[in-house]
């Protein structure tokens, strides 16, 4: 289970990406990036963050620690901006938090070379979860203490927006042409040989168990949160076996 903390202070909204996460302080004295349950795609974004973040971590990729953050909408009363106030107001209860990597730099592919093995692992992982949000325009990679960290897995697993078509959707290939690491000659086949055997039913059960029930409850077509957890696991298990043969766009990448 993810650690649970309560927000004690809203520090500031973070503006780089699209979704307007917030920076908060919590009752364990930690500083966290908070993703609002009440934001646009809401709970599905948070589920994707947990499933992919916890899976990536177990595959040996670096992802900041995830927690759930209880939010009392009263914290937003002093916020000058209407948009932020609205998010705070609509996000009572559990939100997603991520350790704030203080002093991290946004990844710049021109300034930081990445070795082909590491690039291969990250591209393979992104292909597995169908991450469309790691392009050179918007890498969602941070450089912290000399190493690469993965953030922002909200736009993955597109199939979870349409469960009846999930199997067909998850059978599709992955286009890596715009991937932030395409230029580093990612060794995707080597990464698949190393990582695909780790993506087992047990591992996926462990990963999906980390998602709080409140973000899974009430999904049409599913009786229980555990049924939905299994639905998250299935396409990933199927893709793990084959996706390395279905990554396009890396030929001639530089
Ligand atoms: N754990 C973190 N540590 C430090 N900075 C972060 C962290 N998570 C996000 N950020 C910063 O906040 C920005 C927005 O966060 P992100 O998760 O990419 O959300 P979105 O793109 O949906 O707005 C990032 O581009 C990064 O600059
Ligand atoms: Mg982002």
């Amino acid at each position: 289970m993810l650690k649970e903390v309560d927000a004690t202070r809203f520090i500031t909204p973070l503006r780089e990406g699209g979704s307007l996460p917030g920076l908060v302080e919590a009752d364990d004295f930690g500083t966290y990036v908070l993703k609002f349950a009440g934001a646009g795609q809401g709970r599905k974004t948070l589920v994707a963050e947990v499933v992919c973040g916890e899976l990536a971590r177990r595959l040996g990729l670096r992802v900041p620690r995830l927690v759930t953050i209880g939010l009392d909408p009263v914290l937003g009363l002093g916020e000058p901006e209407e948009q932020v106030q609205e998010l705070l107001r609509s996000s009572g209860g559990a939100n997603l938090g991520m350790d704030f990597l203080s002093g991290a730099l946004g990844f710049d592919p021109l300034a930081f070379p990445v070795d082909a093995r590491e690039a291969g692992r990250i591209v393979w992982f992104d292909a597995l979860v169908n991450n469309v949000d790691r392009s050179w325009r918007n890498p969602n990679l941070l450089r912290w203490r000399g190493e690469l960290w993965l953030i922002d897995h909200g736009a993955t697993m597109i199939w979870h927006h349409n469960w009846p078509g999930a199997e067909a959707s998850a059978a599709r290939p992955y286009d890596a042409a715009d991937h932030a690491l395409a230029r580093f000659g990612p060794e995707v086949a080597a990464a698949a040989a190393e990582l695909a055997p780790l993506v087992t039913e047990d591992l996926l059960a462990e990963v999906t168990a980390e998602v709080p029930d409140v973000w899974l409850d009430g999904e049409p077509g599913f009786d229980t949160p555990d049924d939905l957890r299994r639905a998250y696991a299935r396409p990933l298990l199927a893709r793990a076996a084959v996706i390395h043969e279905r990554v396009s766009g890396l030929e001639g990448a530089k």
Side-chain angles (χ1 to χ4, degrees):
M1 218 180 88
L2 301 182
K3 178 178 175 179
E4 296 175 4
V5 302
D6 286 319
T8 48
R9 186 163 76 95
F10 186 80
I11 303 172
T12 182
L14 292 170
R15 297 222 165 265
E16 266 123 303
S19 78
L20 208 66
L23 194 63
V24 303
E25 218 166 69
D27 57 357
D28 64 348
F29 306 109
T31 306
Y32 296 96
V33 175
L34 180 147
K35 299 235 162 162
F36 291 102
Q41 295 282 353
R43 303 189 316 172
K44 286 203 177 177
T45 306
L46 307 190
V47 173
E49 291 274 8
V50 176
V51 171
C52 297
E54 292 301 319
L55 177 57
R57 187 194 323 288
R58 283 165 178 79
L59 297 178
L61 301 170
R62 284 174 293 271
V63 179
R65 183 180 56 135
L66 301 179
V67 301
T68 61
I69 305 188
L71 193 60
D72 179 347
V74 162
L75 284 184
L77 290 179
E79 268 311 299
E81 267 184 78
E82 190 134 352
Q83 197 186 359
V84 177
Q85 253 193 40
E86 183 50 38
L87 279 170
L88 284 158
R89 243 202 312 272
S90 59
S91 301
N95 297 269
L96 180 74
M98 181 184 292
D99 273 346
F100 176 63
L101 306 182
S102 179
L105 301 173
F107 172 73
D108 175 352
L110 297 177
F112 301 119
V114 177
D115 77 70
R117 292 296 301 263
E118 180 162 29
R121 286 192 201 102
I122 295 172
V123 170
W124 182 81
F125 170 75
D126 285 333
L128 175 68
V129 299
N130 187 46
N131 187 6
V132 296
D133 233 358
R134 193 119 50 218
S135 69
W136 54 270
R137 285 177 219 92
N138 181 24
N140 287 311
L141 292 166
L142 297 178
R143 172 109 183 165
W144 189 60
R145 300 188 179 169
E147 294 188 302
L148 265 192
W149 290 73
L150 277 52
I151 60 164
D152 199 359
H153 298 108
T156 55
M157 304 188 292
I158 187 159
W159 47 85
H160 75 154
H161 295 288
N162 176 23
W163 285 114
E167 201 176 322
S169 167
R172 296 209 188 111
Y174 181 74
D175 182 359
D178 281 346
H179 197 283
L181 304 181
R183 67 174 64 226
F184 299 108
E187 291 175 0
V188 175
E194 177 194 353
L195 300 181
L198 305 179
V199 183
T200 59
E201 225 173 308
D202 283 352
L203 185 82
L204 292 167
E206 186 184 309
V207 161
T208 54
E210 299 279 10
V211 182
D213 281 358
V214 286
W215 298 340
L216 300 168
D217 267 333
E219 176 72 17
F222 296 89
D223 292 333
T224 66
D226 279 343
D227 287 343
L228 186 50
R229 288 188 173 94
R230 281 186 283 276
Y232 273 98
R234 272 190 295 273
L236 296 175
L237 192 63
R239 273 171 89 85
V242 297
I243 196 62
H244 62 285
E245 292 165 352
R246 319 208 55 206
V247 176
S248 65
L250 293 177
E251 317 77 26
K254 61 174 169 37

